[in-house]
Amino acid sequence: MTRRQLSRKKKACFGIVTTGLCLLLIEFALTLLGVGRSTDHADPFVGFSNQVPLFEPFTDEAGKSWLRTAENKLVWFNDQQFGAAKPANTKRIFCVGGSTTFGRPYDDTTSFCGWLREWLPHIDATTNWEVVNAGGVSYASYRVATVMQELTAYEPDVFIVYTGQNEFLERRTYADFFDQSAIQLWLSGWLAKTRTYGCIDSILRRQRDTKPNPNVSVLPAEVDERLNHTIGPSDYVRDDEWRRGVRLHFQFNLNRMIDIARASGAKILFVVPASNEKDCSPFKIEPEATDFQDGQSAFAKLDFARAKEAFQTALNLDICPLRAPDDFMDIVRNLPKADDVCVVDFDRQLREVCLAEQGHDLLGDEYFLDHVHPTIDVHRRLSLWIADAMRRSEWLSPAALGTKDIPSETLADVDALIQSRIDPRKQGVALRNLAKVMHWSGKFEVAEARARDAIAKLNGDAESQFILADCLRWTGRIDESVRVYQRAVNEFPGDLRGAQRFGQLLLELGQYETAQGLFSIAVIGWPETNPRHWSARYQLSLACIGLADFESARTELQRCHEHDPKNMDVTFALAESCAGVGDTDTALKLYNRVLDAFPNDVETHVRLGYLQLNRMDPQAAAASFATALLLAPEHPQAQAGKRIASQLIATQSKSSPRT
């Protein structure tokens, strides 16, 4: 009897089913053995050069064991502490995320975490609630996930995650992983969640630890913001492929956070981030972009629909994206809903409030202190929305109150309690720091408002006044800027940085004598070991040149030149002062030295041309002016100099004896 042969299709199906059953059996066995998944341990795309714990143990005088924020983490995190052993009938909530979770520009006291800590005992009195603020300044989702992994050791019941604003801050690249198709990405993500893959990964991990993986970006232990290495947002360029990689990594990290929470038996609540779109222009845009201005124009005409579209386009096309774009917010909104996963749409709920209070739903300065950080009142609202979401998800006891059912006396008591904990001076310092950051990033309108707030809180404050004056200067209100600078200099004569800034403005305005006095004070005040001493000495020489005191200028500049002979600004100014005192030979050499370094510097060619005219060398002068006009055809001084040189050449030609 001949045996029937199975068709290739049946053989393939039989092989797939057999392989699948084997993998399921292996997965079941590994589950029984307690083998974890690879995503429980590490991000396959980003590693860290050093893992430094966020919390460290300590024992108090009574012998009780506690955990508190590690001292070396207090730059990025609030000072928090909680018991090493969770008490009975206690639910522990860890709030994680970036600077909004932290409570910036203030701290935990007025953050949504701080408010939630006070509300929960009144909403659900049957449970002892612990709310720990583990939000890290400038922390992106991949760092938040790492923090969550550590927190799983501390018996969490709920994670609250506010993330999405910091995804582009650090310099990261993405390897070939993100060149895969959507199917490949899904399959890779699914495999990474299996314990079989985790077992293989753990075996290979030792090899990866000793031999760096080129497909993984290794970041420093703490945040190393890309902006820290630039002058404002200037280092950012349009890079759609990089942005796509960041978006996919963000989505991966949120799903990884769900896995981390579930592995620890905790529930997880995500907050859809909200941003200031109406009163915060993009940090960097294409030169031809007008979306934000179009939005302002439409808003002024009360065309809110058009304004909203323009503002959101401007936000989404920001080349330096320090606010969560729409597609990142949608990733949070569209997370899979489950009994242990909840999403609070902060953006939509705040827009509803805005519509009721302002008559439109365009979020702006009414609700934010800068581009992303909410006011204290908005933190309060968010905390109540989170509490309501937890109640609707049945994460609280059946007897828990809805936030609308909280007695008015209780609301007033909690408000008063939070207010009593606010230190006005600390708030003033926080506002000043925010003003400095906004000023540095070119957001002068926002910086101005926060500087004024800081001045009010701190009853003056030199640095805030000088920031305010500089903001006024860069927004075109020069007269007001001079008045604020003058008042600040009078009130704080010892603030050398402020005096130097004021002197620079006066220098540009041609008020050389007053500028000279301010720079002289700065030169005396700054030690020669401080770079500011030399910048003040250079600025002093420019004021002297403006006063035609070329001898004093040359004296100052010679010292600056000896200190930094490669500084071409100093070399150019020294050439000017030498020309002013009649030392044309030295001036000629110095101008040529500048041109050796910067052959296309128009002003140096022009100044050299006029010096050559003074030396009665019209041929050389004509060549210098011709070069300047090649570089800048409409330069008026070069045009005038060329005419003079041509006339002198003609005159010399007529007066020369004929052979």
Side-chain angles (χ1 to χ4, degrees), residues 371-507:
H371 58 305
V372 293
H373 297 116
T375 63
I376 293 173
D377 178 66
V378 172
H379 272 285
R380 178 185 185 275
R381 294 176 194 254
L382 176 56
S383 68
L384 291 170
W385 292 334
I386 289 172
D388 270 338
M390 292 173 64
R391 180 172 178 268
R392 287 195 302 272
S393 298
E394 299 181 352
W395 295 0
L396 308 181
S397 71
L401 296 175
T403 57
K404 293 182 179 178
D405 300 323
I406 301 175
S408 57
E409 319 87 73
T410 302
L411 293 172
D413 288 346
V414 171
D415 288 345
L417 179 64
I418 295 289
Q419 290 295 327
S420 70
R421 293 175 178 171
I422 295 174
D423 182 336
R425 175 156 189 83
K426 286 179 66 176
Q427 275 203 334
V429 171
L431 288 164
R432 180 182 67 199
N433 290 338
L434 179 55
K436 288 166 64 176
V437 171
M438 292 294 102
H439 174 275
W440 166 76
S441 62
K443 296 292 180 199
F444 300 115
E445 293 86 355
V446 179
E448 176 191 339
R450 301 293 78 83
R452 292 186 188 277
D453 292 342
I455 291 168
K457 291 277 186 185
L458 298 173
N459 194 26
D461 187 61
E463 190 169 10
S464 299
Q465 290 200 47
F466 286 120
I467 293 170
L468 172 60
D470 210 45
C471 290
L472 294 168
R473 169 194 177 189
W474 290 111
T475 51
R477 290 167 285 173
I478 302 301
D479 291 343
E480 190 179 354
S481 175
V482 170
R483 288 195 296 272
V484 174
Y485 264 127
Q486 189 64 65
R487 183 172 65 244
V489 166
N490 293 340
E491 291 180 12
F492 305 98
D495 193 303
L496 301 178
R497 291 179 65 183
Q500 205 169 336
R501 286 184 193 171
F502 186 27
Q504 182 62 41
L505 175 58
L506 295 175
L507 197 64

Side-chain angles (χ1 to χ4, degrees), residues 155-444:
E155 303 178 82
D157 292 285
V158 177
F159 287 105
I160 297 174
V161 183
Y162 190 120
T163 190
Q165 308 282 28
N166 299 324
E167 298 307 300
F168 297 89
L169 267 182
E170 292 189 270
R171 189 185 304 275
R172 289 178 290 150
T173 57
Y174 292 91
D176 294 338
F177 178 86
F178 290 120
D179 292 330
Q180 299 179 58
S181 68
I183 294 175
Q184 287 174 304
L185 286 171
W186 175 84
L187 184 60
S188 298
W190 180 82
L191 285 172
K193 294 180 181 180
T194 66
R195 285 169 171 79
T196 305
Y197 184 93
C199 183
I200 297 170
D201 183 63
S202 65
I203 295 170
L204 297 175
R205 197 174 300 137
R206 288 187 181 180
Q207 181 181 354
R208 289 203 303 268
D209 290 342
T210 56
K211 183 179 179 181
N213 185 348
N215 294 330
V216 175
S217 297
V218 178
L219 299 176
E222 268 307 339
V223 177
D224 185 24
E225 298 178 10
R226 182 171 183 173
L227 287 171
N228 284 341
H229 305 289
T230 67
I231 305 301
S234 61
D235 193 40
Y236 282 77
V237 295
R238 177 76 62 203
D239 188 340
D240 292 336
E241 196 60 32
W242 174 62
R243 188 185 186 282
R244 173 178 172 268
V246 174
R247 184 177 68 249
L248 288 169
H249 194 205
F250 177 64
Q251 187 170 24
F252 168 85
N253 282 317
L254 297 193
N255 285 298
R256 180 172 174 237
M257 290 177 198
I258 294 173
D259 291 341
I260 291 171
R262 283 175 172 163
S264 67
K267 304 177 190 304
I268 187 166
L269 181 149
F270 291 93
V271 179
V272 178
S275 302
N276 182 340
E277 63 187 358
K278 175 173 68 71
D279 297 309
C280 183
S281 60
F283 284 83
K284 186 176 181 181
I285 57 174
E286 300 288 0
E288 68 277 6
T290 63
D291 298 295
F292 186 75
Q293 288 74 20
D294 290 345
Q296 289 180 310
S297 176
F299 184 81
K301 297 173 184 175
L302 305 184
D303 187 350
F304 299 135
R306 181 180 161 209
K308 184 174 184 178
E309 182 180 358
F311 285 140
Q312 290 185 334
T313 299
L315 188 155
N316 290 327
L317 294 181
D318 195 342
I319 297 172
C320 179
L322 303 183
R323 296 171 292 178
D326 284 348
D327 51 346
F328 281 64
M329 295 163 64
D330 287 340
I331 288 172
V332 185
R333 286 192 180 102
N334 297 326
L335 285 169
K337 306 300 186 293
D339 291 343
D340 57 353
V341 180
C342 177
V343 174
V344 171
D345 199 327
F346 177 39
D347 175 74
R348 286 181 180 165
Q349 289 186 258
L350 190 57
R351 288 184 188 279
E352 291 173 4
V353 170
C354 183
L355 182 62
E357 295 180 347
Q358 311 297 331
H360 59 77
D361 65 348
L362 303 176
L363 301 179
D365 286 347
E366 298 87 356
Y367 306 102
F368 292 90
L369 293 166
D370 58 9
H371 58 305
V372 293
H373 297 116
T375 63
I376 293 173
D377 178 66
V378 172
H379 272 285
R380 178 185 185 275
R381 294 176 194 254
L382 176 56
S383 68
L384 291 170
W385 292 334
I386 289 172
D388 270 338
M390 292 173 64
R391 180 172 178 268
R392 287 195 302 272
S393 298
E394 299 181 352
W395 295 0
L396 308 181
S397 71
L401 296 175
T403 57
K404 293 182 179 178
D405 300 323
I406 301 175
S408 57
E409 319 87 73
T410 302
L411 293 172
D413 288 346
V414 171
D415 288 345
L417 179 64
I418 295 289
Q419 290 295 327
S420 70
R421 293 175 178 171
I422 295 174
D423 182 336
R425 175 156 189 83
K426 286 179 66 176
Q427 275 203 334
V429 171
L431 288 164
R432 180 182 67 199
N433 290 338
L434 179 55
K436 288 166 64 176
V437 171
M438 292 294 102
H439 174 275
W440 166 76
S441 62
K443 296 292 180 199
F444 300 115

Side-chain angles (χ1 to χ4, degrees), residues 58-124:
F58 77 100
T59 304
D60 64 17
E61 295 178 355
K64 183 177 179 180
S65 297
W66 296 83
L67 289 152
R68 65 183 172 197
T69 309
E71 188 173 354
N72 59 357
K73 292 283 190 176
L74 291 175
V75 175
W76 297 278
F77 292 86
N78 283 285
D79 189 1
Q80 302 279 281
Q81 69 177 50
F82 54 93
K86 188 169 68 174
N89 194 37
T90 296
K91 287 192 175 179
R92 185 170 284 172
I93 297 175
F94 286 110
C95 300
V96 296
S99 54
T100 297
T101 304
F102 179 97
R104 277 291 177 99
Y106 309 125
D107 57 19
D108 169 65
T109 304
T110 54
S111 70
F112 70 81
C113 317
W115 283 102
L116 187 64
R117 189 181 299 119
E118 301 305 326
W119 294 129
L120 282 174
H122 299 286
I123 292 171
D124 186 359

